[in-house]
């Protein structure tokens, strides 16, 4: 009996242990576990039914009611039903008088357990002893009631006999077994919760990159969570140690980290915080970690252990660094930006960069805290910009408006304003804006527009042919009215076609010529071109071209002038000039001929006159000498007149002969030795000079001069003759002869301080027979200066006269030196 009891108890403990084992196992579906649980409970019930208490043959009592009720309570409906089914089947198999009563007990016990399961709301492990006792009581009261179903009076007998012991033993037994199962279940659940918490902790540490560690001061042992190994990059199987930890710390930080721990212990602090670098022993990667440590103390204050966590803050530090860099970049952009940048919140200026201050002419102090109205010249403008910005920001998230601002000094600026909200969802956080001063741009654009207009007008109405063609293929892009008028083509006929297609070039190679000039000189000026008009006529044009780039295409602006008429006129003029030249040449030839004839006539007349004159004067002399005495006074006087007149005539004839001889011979250039030459020329006047009446000044700067000796003699002797002759009686007479070389010219000067010549006669005295005085005052033939002039012109030189009455006379002769004369 006791043995059975012990066996029963052992069975129940085994049940408890194996049920808990089953509960720990994981199954893909919970129902499988519930069925298996039912089978386990059923199996134990069946085994328990092998060791029953036999009340009467076929009437057995055992612990099935307890087990099945607990199967229903702990396993729920499925477990309870499966266990009950097994037990019922076995009881049915055993048979006997109490079989149906037994099956009833089996069913109600399992059902009672299920009711309790429901009452516990699926958390049977929380069932208390009193509740278990109630369950045991209920199950076994039901069991005793079932006894009444036994054949009468057996049921009553059974009830009487086992009623009390059953009610005394079975409910506490239910409590005991229930408590055992509940305890096991609770332990299992708390173990599971612990495991889950640990998992969660590790997961959390890995996500947060936080590892925890603990250092036992007494045993000097260090433990750390797997995340620490991961963080430090050490093998998870390597046992942690303080030395291993220090090894992982960056060499530069190692001393500091070691000191931090030691000092916190020594100084009796509760803990410490430190940030340092670590170097992965395998990959050498440097990371930054944050450590926090706290010491756990005994009541006496001594440290038992230190706990702490280590957190990887590399990303945060990098992010912070990036953030700092970005912030400083933004700040420098803000400061140095060449556009005005500012921030406005509720229409009040909250930020303004230097450029904004420069633009507005206000200091930062003057802008911050003021209404943005300060920027605008009028309320209307301010309101307009506000409205427009609001509209655009609502539509596109940002806005751009061209507006006008007024500087502090009153100057109006053209501004391109762009604005963007700080928080697009909530404009009350304010907007940032950039302001670009486009005053100059607007002005330039306006000027450009005006100049374009001017150009377009000039282009259209210019009286010259103007065209714009594409450089690469001479495609006509535009032509002006004059172009159309002159060529006869309409604009539509030309634009979109090349000048070659239109057939404008008489000779298409002219275009190549034009392009060549354009390449070498960069432009074409006044190029002669022949163009074919629409009616087939050829016109002469003068074209100038310049290269321009229009919308990225190289183009040619050409300006042309129709010079057909001019060319015709020039041609006619040329022909006329040639004809005239021919006529002039003919006339000159005739004149030269006539001149020659005249000179020949003068020469022959003078020559021929000489003989009769010589006869007249010869005979007159003989008469005067031999028959003078036979003549009376009057006759003698007449004879003297004859002699005098014939002498004069002789002089005249020899002068005329001289004049006409001059130039008959070719020029004979030679270097004339000046000094001896002058001496030679002055020789006939030697006596006059010596008498002291005339002072002679010679200013000969050169020793020799290139000239035709005979011509030079004519010039000098005639000038000297006149200088000596036309003296003033009232003062001392002075004659100066000077010569020099000036550049390529020889200069000869003869001057005197004689009576001088009235400027009105300066021209005419060079003509033949022109005299200013009667013969009685000054002798002469009036041919001298004409001779000088002719000789000078034969030398290719010029003569200049400077003289005034009473102030003397100066003749200056200049003639170009021949090549050999220049070299000397
Ligand atoms: P003429 O034989 O009369 O000197 P020229 O042809 O040599 O003829 O001179 C023309 C005139 O020029 C002279 O009659 C004289 O009136 C004037 N004439 C020339 N040389 C001088 C001079 N050195 N001083 C003043 N008058 C001069």
């Amino acid at each position: 009996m006791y043995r059975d009891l012990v066996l029963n108890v052992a069975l129940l403990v085994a049940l408890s242990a194996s049920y808990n084992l089953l509960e720990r196992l994981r199954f893909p579906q919970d129902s499988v576990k519930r069925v298996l649980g039912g089978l386990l409970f059923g199996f134990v019930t069946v085994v328990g039914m092998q060791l029953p208490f036999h009340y009467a043959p076929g009437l057995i009592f055992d612990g099935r009611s307890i087990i099945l009720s607990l199967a229903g309570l702990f396993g729920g409906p499925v477990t309870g039903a499966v266990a009950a089914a097994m037990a019922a089947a076995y009881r049915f198999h055993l048979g006997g008088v109490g079989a149906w009563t037994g099956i009833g007990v089996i069913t109600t016990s399992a059902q009672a357990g299920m009711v309790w399961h429901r009452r516990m709301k699926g958390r049977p492990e929380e069932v208390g002893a009193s509740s278990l006792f109630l369950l045991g009581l209920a199950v076994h009261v039901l069991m005793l009631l079932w006894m009444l179903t036994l054949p009468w009076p057996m049921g009553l007998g059974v009830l009487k006999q086992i009623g009390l012991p059953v009610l005394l033993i079975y409910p506490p037994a239910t409590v005991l077994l229930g408590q055992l199962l509940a305890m096991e279940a609770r332990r299992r659940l708390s173990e599971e919760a612990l495991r889950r918490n640990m998992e969660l902790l590790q997961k959390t540490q890995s996500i947060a990159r936080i590892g925890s560690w603990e250092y036992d001061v007494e045993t000097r042992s260090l433990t750390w969570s797997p995340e620490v190994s991961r963080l430090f990059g050490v093998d998870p199987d390597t046992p942690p140690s303080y030395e291993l930890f220090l090894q992982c710390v960056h060499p530069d930080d190692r001393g500091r980290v070691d000191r931090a721990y030691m000092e916190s212990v020594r100084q009796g602090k509760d803990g410490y915080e430190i940030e340092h670098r670590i170097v992965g022993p395998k990959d050498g990667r440097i990371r930054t970690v944050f450590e926090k440590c706290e010491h756990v103390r005994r009541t006496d204050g001594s440290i038992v252990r230190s706990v702490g966590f280590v957190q990887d803050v590399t990303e945060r530090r990098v992010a912070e660094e990036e953030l700092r860099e970005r912030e400083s970049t933004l700040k420098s952009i803000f400061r140095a930006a060449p556009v005005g940048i500012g921030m406005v919140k509720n229409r009040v200026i909250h930020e303004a960069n230097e450029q904004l201050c420069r633009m507005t002419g206000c200091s930062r102090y003057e802008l911050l805290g003021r209404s943005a109205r300060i920027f605008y010249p009028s309320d209307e403008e301010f309101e307009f910009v506000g409205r427009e910005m609001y509209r655009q920001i609502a539509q596109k998230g940002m806005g751009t408006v061209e507006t006008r601002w007024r500087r502090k000094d009153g100057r109006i600026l053209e501004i391109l304003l762009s604005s963007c909200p700080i928080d697009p969802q909530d404009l009350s956080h304010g907007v940032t804006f950039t302001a670009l001063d486009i005053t100059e741009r607007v002005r330039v654009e306006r000027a450009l527009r005006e100049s374009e207009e001017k150009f377009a007008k000039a282009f259209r109405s210019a009286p010259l042919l103007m065209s714009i063609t594409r450089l690469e293929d001479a495609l006509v892009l535009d032509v002006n009215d004059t172009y159309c008028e002159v060529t006869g083509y309409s604009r539509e006929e030309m634009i979109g076609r090349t000048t070659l297609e239109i057939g404008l070039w008489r000779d298409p190679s002219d275009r190549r010529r034009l392009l060549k000039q354009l390449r070498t000189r960069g432009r074409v000026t006044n190029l002669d071109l022949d163009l074919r008009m629409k009616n087939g006529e050829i016109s002469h044009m003068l074209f100038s071209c310049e290269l321009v780039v229009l919308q990225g295409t190289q183009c040619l602006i050409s300006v042309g002038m129709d010079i057909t008429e001019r060319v015709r006129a020039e041609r006619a003029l040329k022909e006329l000039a040639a004809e005239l030249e021919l006529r002039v040449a003919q006339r000159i030839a005739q004149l030269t001929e006539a001149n020659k004839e005249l000179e020949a006539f003068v020469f022959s007349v003078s020559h021929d006159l000489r003989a009769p004159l010589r006869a007249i004067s010869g005979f007159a002399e003989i008469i005067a000498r031999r028959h003078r005495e036979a003549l009376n006074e009057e006759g003698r006087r007449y004879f003297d007149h004859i002699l005098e007149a014939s002498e004069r005539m002789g002089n005249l004839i020899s002068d005329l002969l001289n004049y006409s001889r001059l130039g008959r011979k070719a020029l004979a250039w030679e270097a004339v030795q000046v000094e001896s030459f002058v001496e030679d020329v002055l020789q006939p006047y030697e006596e006059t000079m010596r008498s002291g009446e005339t002072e002679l000044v010679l200013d000969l700067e050169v020793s020799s001069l290139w000239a035709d000796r005979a011509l030079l003699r004519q010039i000098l002797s005639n000038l000297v003759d006149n200088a000596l002759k036309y003296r003033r009686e009232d003062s001392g007479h002075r004659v100066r002869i000077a010569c020099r070389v000036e550049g390529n010219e020889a200069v000869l000067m003869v001057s005197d301080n004689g009576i001088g010549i009235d400027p009105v006669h300066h021209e005419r005295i060079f003509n033949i027979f022109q005299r200013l005085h009667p013969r009685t005052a000054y002798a002469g033939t009036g041919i001298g200066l004409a001779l000088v002039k002719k000789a000078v012109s034969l030398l290719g030189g010029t003569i200049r006269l400077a003289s005034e009455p009473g102030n003397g006379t100066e003749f200056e002769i200049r003639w170009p030196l021949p090549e050999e004369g220049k070299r000397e």
Side-chain angles (χ1 to χ4, degrees):
M1 180 84 174
Y2 284 112
R3 191 181 61 99
D4 287 350
L5 201 65
V6 170
L7 273 174
N8 260 316
V9 170
L11 200 63
L12 292 175
V13 172
L15 166 70
S16 154
S18 26
Y19 181 69
N20 268 303
L21 193 71
L22 180 73
E23 281 292 327
R24 279 173 211 272
L25 295 177
R26 288 172 195 281
F27 291 93
Q29 279 173 327
D30 193 54
S31 53
V32 179
K33 197 192 261 187
R34 298 274 77 84
V35 171
L36 285 175
L39 290 174
L40 184 67
F41 273 99
F43 173 73
V44 174
T45 314
V46 170
V47 174
M49 281 162 74
Q50 313 274 323
L51 311 162
F53 158 61
H54 289 266
Y55 181 76
L59 184 63
I60 51 173
F61 290 96
D62 49 55
R64 82 185 80 153
S65 55
I66 301 175
I67 298 172
L68 290 174
S69 65
L70 293 177
L73 169 60
F74 284 96
V78 176
T79 308
V82 171
M86 273 180 77
Y90 183 66
R91 183 66 191 89
F92 184 71
H93 163 73
L94 290 178
V97 64
W100 287 108
T101 306
I103 290 170
V105 171
I106 287 168
T107 318
T108 51
S109 301
Q111 278 174 349
M114 289 178 214
V115 169
W116 249 249
H117 182 84
R118 181 164 302 138
R119 271 188 59 202
M120 292 311 294
K121 296 194 175 86
R123 300 168 66 93
E125 66 280 356
E126 287 177 6
V127 71
S130 52
S131 179
L132 279 171
F133 187 78
L134 270 180
L135 173 65
L137 207 62
V139 165
H140 292 100
V141 167
L142 283 170
M143 183 182 115
L144 293 178
L145 288 177
W146 274 109
M147 294 308 132
L148 297 177
T149 60
L150 287 170
W152 199 259
M154 188 181 172
L156 195 66
V158 172
L159 209 60
K160 270 187 190 161
Q161 197 180 347
I162 66 160
L164 193 63
V166 162
L167 289 178
L168 285 176
I169 295 167
Y170 275 69
T174 307
V175 172
L176 271 177
L177 184 57
Q179 287 279 44
L180 195 65
L181 281 169
M183 238 160 62
E184 275 299 318
R186 275 203 298 276
R187 205 178 69 200
R188 179 175 43 78
L189 285 175
S190 61
E191 270 175 22
E192 254 169 36
L194 193 68
R195 189 177 45 76
R196 267 203 306 276
N197 279 344
M198 280 301 285
E199 263 176 24
L200 189 69
L201 183 70
Q202 280 188 16
K203 212 69 283 91
T204 314
Q205 288 198 353
S206 130
I207 291 169
R209 314 226 63 187
I210 295 179
S212 55
W213 55 266
E214 190 172 345
Y215 181 69
D216 191 318
V217 176
E218 278 165 11
T219 60
R220 304 173 78 80
S221 63
L222 181 68
T223 50
W224 60 43
S225 67
E227 187 55 27
V228 177
S229 304
R230 237 194 325 274
L231 255 175
F232 288 2
V234 297
D235 198 337
D237 295 333
T238 315
S241 67
Y242 188 68
E243 289 67 34
L244 178 61
F245 160 68
L246 276 185
Q247 228 176 322
C248 295
V249 175
H250 191 282
D252 295 349
D253 294 349
R254 213 169 275 160
R256 188 164 59 87
V257 171
D258 194 24
R259 266 197 308 283
Y261 180 76
M262 295 306 174
E263 274 172 19
S264 81
V265 173
R266 205 175 47 239
Q267 294 169 3
K269 288 185 188 165
D270 287 339
Y272 68 95
E273 290 177 4
I274 190 167
E275 196 173 298
H276 64 85
R277 290 165 296 170
I278 52 168
V279 186
K282 281 184 205 150
D283 54 8
R285 224 161 65 150
I286 296 178
R287 307 190 70 80
T288 308
V289 294
F290 172 73
E291 299 232 25
K292 189 174 167 98
C293 161
E294 270 178 22
H295 302 303
V296 180
R297 295 174 191 276
R298 282 202 199 83
T299 40
D300 63 358
S302 60
I303 297 172
V304 190
R305 59 184 198 278
S306 307
V307 288
F309 73 83
V310 49
Q311 185 180 13
D312 185 353
V313 291
T314 315
E315 271 81 31
R316 203 200 312 165
R317 286 287 164 271
V318 169
E320 277 172 7
E321 190 54 36
E322 275 175 8
L323 207 66
R324 249 197 309 280
E325 271 175 23
R326 204 169 310 149
E327 197 182 321
S328 86
T329 311
L330 283 176
K331 262 189 191 156
S332 52
I333 291 175
F334 181 75
R335 261 200 314 276
V339 290
I341 304 176
M343 203 268 267
V344 165
K345 194 168 158 185
N346 295 330
R347 299 186 151 208
V348 172
I349 305 165
H350 277 253
E351 200 48 84
N353 73 342
E354 282 168 34
Q355 177 62 12
L356 191 65
C357 297
R358 266 199 294 278
M359 274 167 67
T360 54
C362 298
S363 68
R364 234 170 94 79
Y365 166 75
E366 283 172 301
L367 289 179
L368 299 191
R370 298 281 296 277
S371 162
R373 164 73 178 83
I374 190 176
F375 295 136
Y376 295 88
S378 67
D379 286 338
E380 290 73 41
E381 189 82 33
F382 178 50
E383 293 300 332
F384 165 74
V385 171
R387 268 198 315 278
E388 186 58 23
M389 278 298 180
Y390 189 81
R391 191 184 65 75
Q392 288 191 24
I393 287 172
Q395 248 178 27
K396 312 179 277 186
M398 61 172 296
T400 305
V401 175
E402 267 189 36
T403 181
R404 280 143 57 88
W405 279 9
R406 190 174 54 202
R407 276 174 58 86
K408 194 180 171 189
D409 59 17
R411 198 149 59 83
I412 296 290
L413 301 177
E414 303 281 347
I415 295 288
L416 182 68
L417 193 69
S418 298
S419 184
C420 186
I422 290 170
D423 178 0
Q425 310 303 327
D426 186 359
L427 290 189
S428 69
H429 286 112
V431 292
T432 56
F433 65 88
T434 59
L436 189 64
D437 181 357
I438 53 167
T439 315
E440 185 58 20
R441 197 176 84 190
V442 168
R443 195 189 62 73
V444 168
E445 276 173 4
R446 204 171 289 151
L448 206 67
R449 245 196 326 273
E450 280 171 11
S451 109
E452 262 172 20
E453 231 165 71
K454 271 188 231 157
F455 172 77
K457 275 189 186 150
F459 183 84
R460 286 270 157 274
S461 58
L464 298 166
L465 290 87
M466 289 183 82
S467 68
I468 302 176
T469 51
R470 200 158 64 189
L471 179 67
E472 62 177 278
D473 54 2
L475 186 85
V476 178
L477 302 175
D478 205 354
V479 286
N480 72 346
D481 296 348
T482 310
Y483 207 108
C484 296
E485 269 166 37
V486 172
T487 58
Y489 289 101
S490 67
R491 271 167 64 77
E492 292 68 33
E493 281 171 316
M494 277 193 274
I495 292 174
R497 294 171 72 198
T498 71
T499 50
L500 295 159
E501 278 168 11
I502 300 168
L504 273 173
W505 302 88
R506 183 184 65 84
D507 179 0
S509 70
D510 276 353
R511 183 169 143 77
R512 284 195 290 279
R513 191 156 63 92
L514 183 142
L515 292 181
K516 194 175 162 201
Q517 219 185 85
L518 202 64
R519 262 198 304 277
T520 49
R521 294 189 209 156
R523 56 156 56 173
V524 171
T525 31
N526 293 336
L527 186 71
D528 265 321
L529 292 176
D530 287 348
L531 294 191
R532 185 179 289 107
M533 306 294 101
K534 194 179 177 185
N535 61 12
E537 275 178 23
I538 300 295
S539 288
H540 304 291
M541 304 278 172
L542 211 55
F543 263 98
S544 295
C545 309
E546 285 270 356
L547 273 175
V548 284
V549 177
L550 298 175
Q551 288 162 0
T553 312
Q554 282 230 306
C555 297
L556 211 56
I557 289 196
S558 315
V559 181
M561 204 194 318
D562 186 355
I563 52 160
T564 316
E565 281 311 313
R566 202 172 89 188
V567 167
R568 255 180 228 149
E570 273 174 7
R571 218 170 270 162
L573 209 66
K574 246 185 227 161
E575 281 167 13
L576 199 67
E579 200 186 309
L580 274 177
E581 239 168 62
L582 193 71
R583 266 197 240 164
V584 167
Q586 283 170 353
R587 202 50 64 77
I588 287 173
Q590 286 169 357
L591 278 175
T592 318
E593 194 53 34
N595 219 20
K596 271 190 190 155
E597 278 172 19
L598 192 69
E599 281 185 359
F601 170 75
V602 170
F603 182 75
S604 63
V605 166
S606 321
H607 197 267
D608 291 353
L609 281 177
R610 261 186 158 177
L613 183 64
R614 220 176 278 138
I616 292 169
S617 63
F619 286 116
E621 232 174 90
I622 293 168
I623 292 171
R625 203 170 53 232
R626 291 194 194 161
H627 307 285
R628 192 168 180 89
E629 301 307 318
L631 293 173
N632 59 10
E633 186 63 23
E634 194 179 19
R636 276 202 295 275
R637 208 171 55 245
Y638 288 158
F639 252 97
D640 285 346
H641 282 316
I642 289 172
L643 279 176
E644 200 185 281
S646 55
E647 189 192 334
R648 233 182 25 244
M649 187 153 180
N651 286 343
L652 196 63
I653 286 171
S654 73
D655 277 356
L656 268 177
L657 274 174
N658 259 346
Y659 184 81
S660 51
R661 260 195 218 116
L662 213 59
R664 286 178 151 223
K665 282 197 284 176
L667 290 190
W669 287 95
E670 61 176 306
V672 179
Q673 294 308 312
V674 180
E675 211 168 309
S676 57
F677 174 75
V678 171
E679 214 170 277
D680 195 25
V681 170
L682 291 177
Q683 219 248 322
Y685 311 99
E686 211 174 16
E687 219 165 296
T688 325
M689 301 289 169
R690 222 176 275 152
S691 68
E693 287 168 34
T694 300
E695 180 196 349
L696 180 71
V697 180
L698 289 181
D699 220 346
L700 312 176
E701 289 180 22
V702 284
S703 58
S704 67
L705 270 182
W706 275 73
D708 179 299
R709 180 182 286 276
L711 292 180
L712 194 59
R713 171 179 285 278
Q714 284 292 349
I715 294 167
L716 187 62
S717 64
N718 274 297
L719 291 178
V720 168
D721 191 61
N722 282 349
L724 291 170
K725 186 162 50 176
Y726 297 107
R727 65 169 66 181
R728 267 179 21 209
E729 296 303 334
D730 51 349
S731 65
H733 192 49
R734 186 160 45 83
V735 174
R736 177 172 171 267
I737 300 172
C739 73
R740 61 177 187 275
V741 171
E742 269 180 27
N744 294 332
E745 284 183 333
V747 184
L748 173 69
M749 284 168 72
V750 178
S751 52
D752 60 71
N753 60 349
I755 59 169
I757 309 162
D758 191 325
V760 294
H761 306 305
H762 281 192
E763 290 238 331
R764 101 181 157 88
I765 54 169
F766 290 100
N767 293 337
I768 200 160
F769 301 137
Q770 292 296 330
R771 308 205 63 233
L772 301 181
H773 308 280
R775 216 178 332 114
T776 45
Y778 299 97
T781 56
I783 293 176
L785 285 182
L787 257 171
V788 170
K789 189 180 171 189
K790 192 172 177 187
V792 170
S793 80
L794 284 170
L795 283 179
T798 54
I799 183 162
R800 188 183 63 81
L801 161 64
S803 178
E804 268 181 28
N807 269 338
T809 304
E810 180 183 277
F811 286 96
E812 185 191 272
I813 318 289
R814 286 174 177 265
W815 69 96
L817 290 169
E819 282 305 313
E820 49 271 60
K822 281 182 213 165
R823 281 199 297 273
E824 283 190 9

